Amino acid sequence: MKKIDILNFITNFRQAPNDIKTYAQLVTHLGEANEPTLKQMLQELQQSRVVREVEANGEKGYQVMAR
């Protein structure tokens, strides 16, 4: 799994550039076995200001801020 896999799942810049995916959706799509790696990569993406954490229907969600 790479960071680009996370970014591509969260958003499609042509069809849904402001889409938000919940953490549960990310884990379901990328696999529970990858959850520790997913947490680390999400944290790195947040620190580099590529992804931001938002509230999505009462759950923690993620939205891509930069291309």
Side-chain angles (χ1 to χ4, degrees):
M1 176 175 54
K2 298 178 183 177
K3 291 178 188 176
I4 195 72
D5 297 330
I6 297 169
L7 296 173
N8 285 338
F9 179 68
I10 293 175
T11 190
N12 178 343
F13 281 111
R14 292 190 179 115
Q15 295 176 356
N18 297 319
D19 202 14
I20 298 171
K21 297 286 191 225
T22 65
Y23 183 75
Q25 289 173 316
L26 288 169
V27 170
T28 301
H29 179 74
L30 298 171
E32 290 183 21
N34 295 324
E35 190 171 2
T37 306
L38 175 64
K39 285 183 181 180
Q40 178 185 356
M41 288 184 177
L42 281 172
Q43 190 172 37
E44 290 172 10
L45 289 168
Q46 285 178 333
Q47 288 175 351
S48 61
R49 298 180 190 250
V50 175
V51 171
R52 69 177 169 182
E53 188 175 314
V54 295
E55 187 80 14
N57 299 327
E59 294 183 61
K60 182 171 40 172
Y62 295 92
Q63 183 177 32
V64 175
M65 295 173 26
R67 294 181 185 190

